């Protein structure tokens, strides 16, 4: 469990806090989306979860370990894995396999175990055949899968994706998301997805909307997406299916208001069609 | 200004081997056109954009400007006609370098030989065109702006050269919804002016549906599909085989259709989708 | 832009298979032998012991030539300088320039030292994966850690350089094209003309460094202490033989200098 308790954070040299009095609990195995416009504090919140940033006020506990406690940081970072937005800035080694090994080497694991975990992680992200390739000769999607492998090899319990799909084309984006959701199902990994795409946020169990450092909305996607005005005021757009549902209801269709994904919408429409 | 590509191929030379990127591309962009080029990563979109902007020369075939064969840009190789073709690269904010926003925007037109009051007028107009106030933003360092603002400054730097054809490579990638909308509005406003043409490189099919008049789908360096957005979206499931993901409305129509509903696949807007569903349900 | 010097040519020769540490130590011993050699002739003979290594490594003469070509002018300047400005027994005079026996000797000595040392370094880099080289260097410097030498950090810096040079080159090309699209020519030799390329590259490198530091920290990096390495290095029989030969060469050269040298 990750507990964020009354956290306020300001960057040095600024007067307005980037986050103000945030409290939040992330359960093991949960799928949480954190969304909001640029500058709303989503990435700051992500960096507080693994101790890259320490709260000015309040505290963050990861499975009971305080991120303010220097001695716990390695353990916290093993538990909370993070994939960043820019693929080029998070790959550190000159070959694919050496990059996956980097985190394990930092943990001080024996070489034999490192090799075995690296092989397993590359298998999971389907990069085993590119083991010896230099990262700069991978596509954007492959680079992000490699970054994911480097984190997975450390066997985290929580996976934070900080706009990890923002620079990818839609196919690569879908591949990464599918892979992450598959891992969540198989290993019970909690997923914390930071995104400004509402279509992506709608896939989560719970959505947190940030605006100017504060929690604007929180709840299941179907509830959050109903707040069209509030979202628009925060510079966010509801998924197009939600907008379509609204249009159809105004035209007289008796559609429920909690339709978010394409599949849900199709199912509801067929229900109406079969009633005729 | 009309850009023409005739039987254009392009290959990179790597360690003595030829790596083909584009093969036998034929296309034409005339004033009033809005062409979208789409395709999966690695399909050759960006290379095609650079060929159309004279920043690469084809290994076979020819590129023409107003019907005249044109070599690439560069030292004395006929820069003049290419001045009328503007190219906005991916993440163009990375090319900002000057001390002030106004100086950066002035870089292009100054290279064209402009100066004095005319230059100043160009810079101001370009900044206004991207929705930035020359008075408040012009004197600031570009590096103090937000990501979305930096991108618009970079686009202003191209607009200030007053191109007739504007080529943009993934201009909205990585922006949040508000930033995206601002950039889309800039592109729209440019296109509305008489005699202008836009070439948009994008993997975002919703954006393509929203903006383009004509679409080319590249697949492994060849033209796989060509037509209006409606023609393209009518292909349904075939789009996925070219590594494209249809926008949500098209996906919805595809799902309904697969299950037997007589709805069209080529809906482009929310209103069209709503009307199509209402028609199917007989409301 | 192709920098040929220091290029790695993957292969399976016995030289390729040597432990990177033995190759690094071998280079050190070879360098000592070259420096110890007292005369031009001795240095040339010492240097020539690299030939069997080149043959064993299966490196093509054309490859070797390309590695050394950029050096030729520099070597000639050293040679001519030594020949022309060393006083001693005059063998010939060209105008005001006197060529002396000592001059020829020192010229040859300087030439042989630089030439063979660069050649040996090129052979080392051609037969050793850069990553293995960084690992070997780290392992060799490890005893120095107690004296405060950051061996792990140095090796990491080396791998980061290997990782990011291609990325930054790609970026330089892209930014150059983007500025050409804005009418830049990059002509003339004024620094000012390069600013549209240099500043964005600098900004980007800085931004990358920040992102990289953050990503490394997120993956539990906290300096070289307590790190293990995936790649293990093993000395084999061939390594001991190779080091023995290199040691003999250095010792022999030093003995010769003490016995006969000036």
């Amino acid at each position: 469990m990750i507990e964020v308790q009354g956290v306020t954070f300001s960057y040095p040299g600024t007067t307005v806090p980037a986050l103000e009095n945030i409290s939040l609990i992330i359960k093991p195995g949960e799928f949480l989306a954190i969304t909001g416009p640029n500058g709303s504090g989503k990435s700051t919140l992500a960096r507080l979860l693994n101790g890259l940033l320490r709260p000015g006020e309040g505290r963050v506990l990861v499975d009971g370990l305080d991120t303010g406690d220097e001695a716990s940081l390695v353990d916290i970072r093993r538990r909370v894995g993070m994939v960043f937005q820019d693929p080029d800035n998070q790959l550190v080694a000159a070959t694919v396999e050496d990059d996956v090994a980097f985190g394990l080497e930092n943990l001080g694991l024996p070489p034999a175990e490192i090799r075995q975990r690296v092989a397993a992680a590359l298998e999971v992200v389907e990069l085993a055949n590119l083991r010896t390739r230099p990262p700069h000769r991978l596509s954007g999607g492959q680079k992000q899968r490699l970054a994911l492998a480097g984190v997975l090899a450390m066997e985290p319990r929580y996976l934070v994706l900080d706009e990890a799909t923002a620079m990818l084309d839609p196919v690569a984006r879908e591949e990464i998301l599918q892979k992450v959701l598959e891992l969540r199902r198989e290993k019970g990994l909690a997923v914390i997805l930071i995104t400004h795409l509402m279509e992506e946020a709608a896939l989560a169990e719970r959505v947190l909307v940030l605006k100017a450092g504060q929690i604007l909305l929180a709840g299941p996607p179907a509830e959050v997406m109903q707040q069209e005005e509030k979202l628009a005021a925060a510079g966010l757009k509801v998924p197009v299916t939600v907008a379509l549902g609204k249009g159809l209801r105004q035209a007289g269709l008796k559609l429920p208001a909690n339709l978010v994904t394409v599949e849900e919408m199709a199912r509801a429409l067929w229900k109406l069609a079969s009633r005729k | 200004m009309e850009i023409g590509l005739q039987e254009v191929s392009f290959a990179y030379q790597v360690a003595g081997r030829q790596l083909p990127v584009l093969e036998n591309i034929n296309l034409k962009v005339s004033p009033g056109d809005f062409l979208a080029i789409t395709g999966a990563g690695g399909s050759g979109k960006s290379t095609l954009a650079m060929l159309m902007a004279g920043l690469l020369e084809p290994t076979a075939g020819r590129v023409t400007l107003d019907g005249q064969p044109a070599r690439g840009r560069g030292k004395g190789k006929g820069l003049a006609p290419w001045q009328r073709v503007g190219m906005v690269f991916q993440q163009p904010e990375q090319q900002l370098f000057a001390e002030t926003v106004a100086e950066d925007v002035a870089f292009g037109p100054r290279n064209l030989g402009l100066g004095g009051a005319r230059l100043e007028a160009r810079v101001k107009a370009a900044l206004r065109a991207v929705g930035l106030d020359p008075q408040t933003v012009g004197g600031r360092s570009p590096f103090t702006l937000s990501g979305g603002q930096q991108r618009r400054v970079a686009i202003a730097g191209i607009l200030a050269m007053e191109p007739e054809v504007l080529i943009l490579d993934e201009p909205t990638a990585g922006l949040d919804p508000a930033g995206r909308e601002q950039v889309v509005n800039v592109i729209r406003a440019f296109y509305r002016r008489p005699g202008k043409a836009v070439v948009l490189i994008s993997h975002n099919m919703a954006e393509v549906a929203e903006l383009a008049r004509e679409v080319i789908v590249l697949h492994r360096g060849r033209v796989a599909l060509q037509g209006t957005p409606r023609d393209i979206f009518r292909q349904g499931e075939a789009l996925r085989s070219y590594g494209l993901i249809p926008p949500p409305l098209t996906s919805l129509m595809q799902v309904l259709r697969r299950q037997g509903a007589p709805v069209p696949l080529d809906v482009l807007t929310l209103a069209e989708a709503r009307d199509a569903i209402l028609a199917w349900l007989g409301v | 832009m192709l920098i040929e010097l220091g290029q790695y040519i993957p292969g399976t020769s016995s030289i390729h298979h040597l432990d990177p540490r033995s190759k690094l130590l071998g280079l050190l011993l070879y360098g000592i032998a070259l420096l110890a050699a007292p005369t031009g002739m001795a240095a040339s003979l010492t240097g020539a012991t690299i030939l069997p290594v080149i043959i064993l490594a299966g490196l093509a003469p054309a490859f070797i030539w390309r590695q050394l070509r950029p050096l030729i002018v520099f070597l000639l300047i050293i040679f001519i300088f030594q020949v022309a400005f060393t006083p001693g027994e005059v063998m010939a005079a060209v105008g005001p320039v006197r060529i002396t026996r000592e001059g020829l000797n020192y010229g040859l000595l300087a030439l042989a030292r630089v030439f063979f040392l660069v050649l040996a370094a090129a052979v080392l880099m051609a037969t050793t994966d850069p990553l293995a080289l960084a690992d070997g260097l780290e392992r060799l410097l490890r005893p120095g850690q107690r004296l405060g030498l950051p061996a792990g950090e140095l090796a990491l810096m080396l791998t980061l350089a290997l990782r990011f040079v291609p990325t930054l080159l790609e970026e330089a090309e892209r930014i150059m094209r983007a500025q050409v699209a804005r009418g830049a020519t990059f002509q003339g030799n004024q620094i000012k003309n390069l600013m549209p390329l240099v500043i964005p590259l600098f900004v980007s490198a800085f931004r990358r460094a920040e992102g990289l530091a953050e990503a490394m920290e997120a993956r539990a990096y906290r300096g070289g202490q307590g790190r293990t390495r995936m790649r293990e290095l093993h000395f084999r029989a061939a390594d001991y033989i190779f080091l023995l030969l290199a040691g003999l060469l250095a010792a022999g050269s030093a003995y010769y200098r003490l016995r006969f040298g000036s």
Side-chain angles (χ1 to χ4, degrees):
Chain A
M1 185 162 68
I2 302 182
E3 296 157 87
V4 179
Q5 301 173 339
V7 164
T8 295
F9 179 86
S10 305
Y11 285 97
T14 58
T15 45
V16 185
L19 285 176
E20 213 175 338
N21 195 21
I22 302 284
S23 292
L24 167 72
I25 285 181
I26 302 169
K27 294 194 209 77
E30 183 178 359
F31 181 8
L32 170 71
I34 301 177
T35 184
N38 285 351
S40 58
K42 348 185 251 304
S43 287
T44 306
L45 181 52
R47 281 159 176 72
L48 283 159
L49 298 180
N50 67 349
L52 279 180
L53 299 174
R54 323 285 162 76
E57 279 167 48
R59 52 182 200 160
V60 178
L61 301 176
V62 176
D63 295 332
L65 301 166
D66 194 327
T67 61
D69 178 7
E70 195 76 35
S72 304
L73 277 181
V74 168
D75 203 7
I76 287 171
R77 282 167 190 161
R78 189 177 56 75
R79 283 162 198 267
V80 186
M82 193 157 171
V83 181
F84 296 85
Q85 177 176 7
D86 191 332
D88 271 322
N89 296 354
Q90 54 187 320
L91 303 176
V92 299
T95 72
V96 164
E97 59 179 353
D98 285 285
D99 192 80
V100 179
F102 179 74
L104 304 173
E105 293 176 333
N106 292 337
L107 295 181
L109 297 179
E113 187 180 349
I114 295 181
R115 276 194 295 274
Q116 176 230 321
R117 284 210 204 177
V118 167
L122 285 176
E123 207 64 56
V124 169
V125 301
E126 292 158 48
L127 285 177
N129 54 334
L130 303 177
R131 216 160 51 73
T132 57
R133 192 173 277 201
H136 72 96
R137 290 194 41 229
L138 300 177
S139 71
Q142 288 171 334
K143 282 179 191 166
Q144 285 304 64
R145 268 165 32 215
L146 173 55
L148 183 61
V151 167
L152 288 179
M154 296 171 81
E155 300 182 349
R157 303 190 65 203
Y158 309 90
L159 180 62
V160 182
L161 301 171
D162 183 18
E163 309 227 23
T165 62
M167 315 254 272
L168 301 181
D169 67 66
V171 175
R173 174 180 292 162
E174 207 178 67
E175 274 172 15
I176 286 267
L177 281 178
Q178 291 311 322
K179 185 56 75 187
V180 165
L181 296 186
E182 190 184 304
L183 286 164
R184 176 173 172 250
R185 275 196 305 275
E186 285 171 8
K187 304 195 173 170
L189 192 67
V191 175
I192 298 119
L193 180 73
I194 318 283
T195 179
H196 52 231
L197 289 178
M198 291 308 245
E199 274 85 3
E200 254 179 40
L203 300 171
E205 293 172 313
R206 189 155 66 110
V207 181
L208 199 70
V209 183
L210 292 180
K211 187 191 172 195
Q214 292 179 321
I215 297 178
L216 177 71
L217 293 166
E223 276 174 28
V224 168
M225 304 301 174
Q226 297 312 310
Q227 311 283 331
E228 205 178 327
E229 287 79 23
K230 275 193 177 176
L231 290 172
L236 295 170
K237 265 174 138 172
V238 295
V240 69
T241 38
V242 174
L244 177 64
K246 195 176 167 200
L248 289 171
R249 278 196 302 280
Q250 280 167 352
L253 287 193
K254 290 196 173 52
L255 278 174
N258 61 353
L259 307 171
V260 178
T261 66
V262 165
E263 288 69 30
E264 288 166 356
M265 176 61 81
R267 219 175 300 130
L269 287 171
W270 274 110
K271 210 182 245 174
L272 281 186
S274 61
R275 242 182 258 152
K276 303 234 154 158
Chain B
M1 168 69 53
E2 181 185 284
I3 305 176
L5 269 65
Q6 284 110 43
E7 294 171 17
V8 161
S9 296
F10 184 83
Y12 280 106
Q13 293 272 0
V14 178
R17 274 184 308 166
Q18 294 252 327
L19 287 180
V21 182
L22 290 169
E23 274 172 82
N24 195 26
I25 307 286
N26 292 287
L27 62 82
K28 201 167 76 177
V29 180
S30 310
D33 284 354
F34 197 129
L35 172 68
I37 298 172
T38 185
S43 60
K45 304 188 291 284
S46 294
T47 307
L48 182 53
M50 285 196 276
L51 283 164
M52 294 175 79
L55 292 160
L56 284 176
E57 291 188 342
T59 35
R62 59 183 203 149
V63 179
T64 57
L65 291 178
D66 284 337
Q68 299 298 311
R71 304 275 319 268
R73 291 183 208 233
K75 295 174 197 167
K77 266 193 285 179
L79 176 67
W82 287 113
Q83 286 174 13
R84 295 189 280 160
V85 180
M87 166 97 192
V88 177
F89 274 71
Q90 275 184 46
Q91 295 182 276
E93 58 276 15
Q94 288 182 358
Q95 75 204 33
L96 300 177
F97 71 96
E99 278 171 49
T100 68
V101 166
E103 267 308 301
D104 209 292
V105 174
F107 180 67
R110 186 171 281 145
N111 285 330
L112 299 182
L114 264 74
R118 280 184 66 201
L119 178 65
E120 204 174 316
R122 282 261 188 122
V123 170
K124 281 186 178 158
L127 280 173
R128 278 194 206 101
V130 298
L132 294 170
D133 179 12
Q135 303 302 328
T136 54
V137 179
R140 285 177 62 184
S141 159
F143 302 110
T144 62
L145 303 177
S146 75
Q149 288 173 324
Q150 286 188 6
R151 185 160 306 181
R152 281 184 286 148
V153 170
I155 295 174
I158 305 298
L159 293 180
M161 297 171 80
E162 297 200 339
E164 290 167 37
V165 184
L166 186 61
I167 303 173
L168 305 107
D169 192 355
E170 303 288 357
T172 63
L175 295 179
D176 70 354
R180 179 178 293 260
E181 197 162 300
Q182 282 161 335
V183 167
V184 164
N185 287 340
V186 170
I187 299 171
R188 276 220 176 91
F190 174 85
Y191 178 62
R192 270 199 300 271
R193 289 160 59 192
K196 304 286 187 189
V198 174
V199 179
L200 174 72
I201 317 290
S202 177
H203 52 227
N204 182 335
M205 293 301 274
E207 209 166 84
V208 168
E210 191 184 337
L211 290 167
R213 294 277 192 88
E214 203 188 354
V215 184
I216 284 178
V217 177
L218 282 184
H219 184 60
R220 296 194 179 138
R222 291 170 177 275
V223 176
L225 293 172
Q226 185 164 11
T228 63
R230 272 180 219 287
D231 296 335
I232 302 297
F233 287 116
R234 229 175 268 139
Q235 303 294 319
E237 312 283 336
L239 288 179
R240 276 188 184 261
S241 65
Y242 300 125
L244 294 172
I245 295 199
L249 290 179
T250 311
S251 297
L252 177 63
M253 294 299 146
Q254 283 177 3
V255 172
L256 293 174
R257 179 87 155 237
R258 202 162 48 220
Q259 295 164 337
V263 289
L265 289 176
D266 56 350
V267 298
L268 298 182
T269 65
L270 210 52
E272 283 177 25
R274 187 193 61 205
D275 294 347
I277 289 170
L278 292 176
W280 162 47
L281 294 175
V283 182
Chain C
M1 195 193 307
L2 260 179
I3 302 148
E4 297 239 20
L5 196 67
Q7 201 183 351
Y8 171 53
I9 311 287
T12 54
S13 77
S14 49
I15 303 297
H16 281 85
H17 278 305
L18 285 177
D19 189 293
R21 285 171 299 179
S22 11
K23 282 187 267 192
L24 280 162
L25 284 175
L27 180 66
L28 185 71
L29 290 167
Y30 181 76
I32 291 172
L34 277 176
L35 290 178
T39 65
M41 192 49 79
S44 304
L45 285 175
T46 307
T49 56
I50 189 82
L51 287 176
V53 176
I54 294 176
I55 292 164
L56 277 176
L59 295 173
F63 169 78
I64 299 289
W65 167 239
R66 262 181 315 187
Q67 299 279 300
L68 294 171
R69 197 171 40 190
L71 214 68
I72 296 295
V73 176
F74 176 66
L75 286 173
L76 278 177
I77 291 173
I78 293 183
F79 184 70
I80 291 169
F81 196 82
Q82 292 280 358
V83 169
F85 294 102
T86 311
E89 180 191 334
V90 178
M91 293 172 70
V94 185
V97 180
R98 286 167 220 289
I99 296 172
T100 63
R101 186 177 293 280
E102 286 77 2
L104 267 183
N105 181 33
Y106 284 126
L108 189 62
L109 186 60
L111 186 80
R113 279 176 181 167
V114 177
F115 175 83
F116 283 114
L117 209 53
V118 172
L119 179 60
V123 171
L124 169 74
M125 300 224 257
T127 58
T128 318
D129 180 348
L131 278 176
L133 207 57
D135 269 348
L137 199 63
E138 179 191 355
R139 234 57 66 109
L140 285 177
L141 295 178
R142 208 174 263 172
Q145 263 175 355
R146 249 173 268 151
L147 304 171
L149 188 75
E153 282 80 354
L154 281 174
L156 186 71
M157 267 167 59
L158 209 62
T159 39
L160 285 179
L162 286 172
R163 157 75 186 86
F164 279 94
V165 164
T167 302
L168 289 175
L169 283 177
E170 273 167 28
E171 196 154 77
E173 192 180 355
R174 194 159 47 89
I175 292 170
M176 191 123 109
R177 284 220 179 93
Q179 305 297 29
V180 166
R182 296 167 80 191
T185 52
F186 298 111
Q187 277 170 332
N189 40 17
Q190 274 180 296
I191 285 289
K192 199 179 122 242
N193 294 341
L194 285 176
M195 284 309 170
L197 177 62
V198 173
I199 291 182
L201 270 179
F202 189 76
V203 169
S204 154
F206 200 73
R207 190 174 43 82
R208 281 190 195 289
E210 263 180 2
L212 193 64
E214 197 170 45
M216 283 167 59
E217 213 182 314
R219 286 166 77 185
Y221 181 74
R222 61 212 138 102
Q225 244 92 55
R227 283 196 92 210
T228 49
R229 305 306 307 274
M230 173 173 72
R231 291 160 185 267
E232 291 173 289
L233 299 178
H234 297 290
F235 269 144
R236 295 192 189 80
D239 290 295
Y240 292 112
I241 297 171
F242 177 78
L243 282 177
L244 184 70
L245 291 173
L248 282 175
L249 182 68
S253 181
Y255 175 76
Y256 183 80
R257 182 190 188 95
L258 291 174
R259 188 74 202 278
F260 306 103
S262 39

